[in-house]
């Protein structure tokens, strides 16, 4: 395992982190409480030290599991949580999005409740969860600064989403000197992640990128193949059929990344992200301990060479030679996509 620092905050994260949404919900398979605890501790055994949860995951269940599993290892790990949804007063409808709430008062209230569930007096990283750009005003920024001054957090981040897009939010995170921004970013879905990296470089900013969905919902770890039948509750089933059909063809075009067995496709997908110094950590969706063993080992595999990276980018620019609709004809964003349209950005496949 390798480690990186978020911006100039001094907060260290493992280059492969544990996305704790998997242990707070049944969207990626059913598991018992003991199974969830075991997964977290198994990740720690594999030198994963960055654990990323959120208050809305299982309506607090994920935070409680993370707190319990890491209680005896608190000084060894970096913990991140997120706030920004009011699940206390609103029911969850399937995988639908809950009402957001981002006010100075809610920042303090929701975060204190998170600390209670975690059983901690502070976390290293606090992120606003899918907050719209117009919600994060000067008062909210001041509330975040107050938490840092009180010693309750060491770094501040902005988790973008839930859908890919959200260009305005990422740009605002960089402009306001957030320590981290988290976004969907992978070899097949480079917009707007690559834009954020370019912006960070152009502005000489200290913001670090946290990449989520690094395996493009099962394509790049080859857990969704033509033979796979996704269950009704499987979160990956939200992707259109066309996305997977074109994706399977794209995977065949990048087989060279496996480099004669030196790394799996799932590991190569992580190494593609880590090729960019701005990417501090990648949070795959671990479903089993075997996933943890494989993907936590990605930083120990050969890094992508310049030639390999350039070849991938050339294929991406040509949409991997595919001219069919992939079902992702537009990227959504908090402002209806206008920010993306203005830049001419399009999704992979357009």
């Amino acid at each position: 395992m390798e480690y990186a620092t978020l911006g100039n905050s001094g907060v260290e994260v493992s280059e492969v982190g544990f996305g704790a949404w998997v242990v707070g919900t049944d969207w990626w398979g059913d598991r018992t409480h003991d199974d969830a605890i075991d997964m977290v501790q198994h990740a720690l055994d594999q030198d994963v030290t960055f654990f990323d949860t959120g208050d809305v995951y299982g309506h607090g269940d994920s935070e409680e599991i993370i707190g319990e599993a890491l209680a005896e290892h608190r000084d060894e790990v970096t913990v991140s949580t997120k706030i920004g949804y009011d699940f206390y007063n609103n029911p969850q409808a399937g995988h639908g999005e809950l009402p957001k709430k981002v006010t100075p008062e809610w920042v303090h209230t929701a975060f204190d409740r998170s600390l209670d569930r975690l059983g901690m007096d502070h976390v290293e990283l606090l992120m606003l969860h899918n907050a719209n750009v117009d919600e994060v005003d000067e008062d909210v920024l001041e509330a975040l600064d107050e938490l840092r001054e009180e010693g309750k957090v060491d770094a501040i981040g902005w988790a973008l989403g839930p859908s890919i897009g959200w260009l305005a939010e990422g740009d605002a995170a960089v402009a306001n000197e957030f320590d981290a921004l988290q976004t969907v970013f992978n070899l097949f879905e480079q917009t707007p992640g690559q834009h954020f990296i370019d912006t960070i470089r152009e502005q000489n900013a200290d913001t670090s990128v946290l990449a989520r969905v690094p395996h493009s919902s099962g394509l790049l770890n080859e857990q969704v193949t033509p033979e796979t039948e996704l269950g009704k509750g499987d979160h990956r089933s939200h992707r259109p059929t066309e996305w997977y059909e074109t994706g399977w063809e794209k995977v065949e075009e990048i087989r060279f990344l496996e480099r004669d067995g030196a790394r799996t496709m799932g590991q190569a997908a992580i190494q593609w992200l880590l090729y960019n110094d701005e990417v501090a950590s990648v949070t795959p969706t671990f479903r089993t301990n075997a996933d943890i063993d494989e993907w936590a080992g990605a930083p120990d595999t050969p890094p992508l060479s310049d030639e390999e990276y350039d070849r991938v980018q050339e294929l991406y620019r040509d949409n991997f030679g595919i001219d069919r609709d992939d079902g992702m004809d537009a990227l959504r964003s908090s402002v209806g996509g206008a920010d993306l349209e203005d830049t001419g950005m399009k999704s992979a496949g357009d």
Side-chain angles (χ1 to χ4, degrees):
M1 183 63 69
E2 300 292 334
Y3 302 86
T5 302
L6 295 178
N8 61 5
S9 68
V11 172
E12 183 182 82
V13 293
S14 51
E15 287 190 336
V16 176
F18 187 100
W21 46 83
V22 300
V23 298
T25 73
D26 59 1
W27 294 3
W28 289 272
D30 292 322
R31 57 184 56 81
T32 67
H33 181 83
D34 288 344
D35 288 340
I37 296 291
D38 177 71
M39 278 188 67
V40 175
Q41 294 179 341
H42 186 77
L44 186 60
D45 289 341
Q46 302 307 310
D47 297 325
V48 173
T49 60
F50 176 44
F51 294 86
D52 174 33
T53 186
D55 65 356
V56 76
Y57 299 147
H59 294 191
D61 288 350
S62 176
E63 289 179 322
E64 291 180 356
I65 289 168
I66 288 297
E68 179 181 345
L70 299 178
E72 297 181 4
H73 306 278
R74 186 63 185 94
D75 294 338
E76 307 167 36
V77 297
T78 294
V79 175
S80 167
T81 196
K82 309 180 189 73
I83 57 173
Y85 286 106
D86 182 7
F87 60 88
Y88 300 95
N89 302 300
N90 299 279
Q92 180 92 40
H95 293 194
E97 190 175 11
L98 286 160
K100 297 176 186 176
K101 191 169 185 179
V102 184
T103 65
E105 295 77 17
W106 190 251
V107 166
H108 286 280
T109 298
F111 182 53
D112 283 343
R113 292 176 179 178
S114 288
L115 290 179
D116 286 343
R117 286 188 291 268
L118 288 162
M120 300 175 184
D121 59 7
H122 80 288
V123 296
E124 283 73 24
L125 173 64
L126 173 65
M127 290 194 279
L128 297 178
H129 200 177
N130 301 342
N132 292 49
V133 68
D134 57 0
E135 296 173 316
V136 186
D137 57 23
E138 290 299 323
D139 291 336
V140 169
L141 294 175
E142 183 178 351
L144 294 172
D145 284 340
E146 288 170 356
L147 293 178
R148 187 152 29 191
E149 291 168 1
E150 293 168 4
K152 291 183 176 180
V153 301
D154 299 316
I156 297 297
W158 196 331
L160 316 182
S163 57
I164 50 177
W166 293 62
L167 182 71
E169 284 70 21
D171 284 348
V174 176
N176 285 288
E177 300 180 340
F178 276 61
D179 300 296
L181 68 86
Q182 186 176 56
T183 185
V184 173
F185 190 23
N186 59 65
L187 194 154
F188 289 162
E189 296 167 287
Q190 299 188 26
T191 302
Q194 189 59 54
H195 165 83
F196 297 143
I197 287 176
D198 293 341
T199 300
I200 290 168
R201 291 173 181 173
E202 291 167 2
Q203 298 185 14
N204 195 29
D206 290 318
T207 304
S208 294
V209 173
L210 303 174
R212 66 183 183 93
V213 199
H215 293 127
S216 199
S217 296
L219 287 172
L220 289 165
N221 54 23
E222 300 189 271
Q223 289 188 352
V224 180
T225 70
E227 290 73 39
T228 304
E229 293 185 14
L230 295 173
K232 183 178 179 181
D234 192 314
H235 193 60
R236 296 171 299 181
S237 64
H238 76 286
R239 296 275 189 172
T241 301
E242 297 89 343
W243 171 257
Y244 288 109
E245 290 175 344
T246 57
W248 295 323
E249 296 180 41
K250 294 175 184 179
V251 167
E252 295 307 315
E253 295 298 315
I254 57 172
R255 287 288 177 198
F256 64 90
L257 291 178
E258 294 172 312
R259 200 188 282 189
D260 297 325
R263 56 193 172 210
T264 65
M265 185 63 71
Q267 290 171 330
I270 292 172
Q271 282 287 24
W272 178 85
L273 286 160
L274 294 176
Y275 181 89
N276 301 283
D277 291 340
E278 292 78 10
V279 176
S281 186
V282 178
T283 52
T285 302
F286 296 126
R287 295 166 60 87
T288 65
N289 284 353
D291 290 343
I292 296 171
D293 292 340
E294 178 184 345
W295 304 333
D300 296 326
T301 65
L304 262 65
S305 66
D306 293 343
E307 292 75 17
E308 288 173 318
Y309 186 83
D310 291 344
R311 184 176 173 187
V312 168
Q313 298 312 94
E314 183 178 354
L315 286 167
Y316 176 80
R317 286 190 291 270
D318 188 43
N319 196 35
F320 302 87
I322 298 172
D323 59 4
R324 300 193 319 281
D325 181 13
D326 64 3
M328 302 283 283
D329 58 349
L331 288 172
R332 300 183 299 277
S333 76
S334 67
V335 290
D339 52 348
L340 295 168
E341 292 171 3
D342 289 344
T343 65
M345 292 185 185
K346 294 181 180 292
S347 65
D350 284 355

